[in-house]
Amino acid sequence: MSSCQGCGHELVEIGLTIDGSRIVMRSCSTCDTRSWHRDGDPVHLDGVLTDLSAVPTRYRRSLSS
Ligand SMILES: [Zn+2]
């Protein structure tokens, strides 16, 4: 498990499959920092994130229950 670069809090990892690629979102519940990794490599999904903005929200909601 990784730690947040901003606050050191433990990160939550959420795996998604997007366009056949394995995407992992690491999210900090303390400061809401997110990072994305595709097949183990960091990725910047600036444009994609706009389209996917509903996905992490839905997963985060389910995780917090
Ligand atoms: Zn944090």
Side-chain angles (χ1 to χ4, degrees):
M1 189 61 78
S2 303
S3 296
C4 175
Q5 293 182 350
C7 71
H9 193 268
E10 189 175 85
L11 293 174
V12 175
E13 294 193 0
I14 299 169
L16 303 169
T17 301
I18 300 175
D19 291 339
S21 294
R22 179 68 172 172
I23 305 290
V24 176
M25 185 192 76
R26 291 178 181 160
S27 175
C28 177
S29 60
T30 301
C31 63
D32 208 32
T33 295
R34 294 181 203 158
S35 61
W36 296 80
H37 305 263
R38 184 200 300 266
D39 297 330
D41 295 322
V43 291
H44 299 284
L45 300 180
D46 293 339
V48 182
L49 270 178
T50 304
D51 298 332
L52 295 176
S53 58
V55 176
T57 303
R58 179 161 51 88
Y59 274 83
R60 191 167 53 199
R61 204 172 283 148
S62 65
L63 281 174
S64 64
S65 62

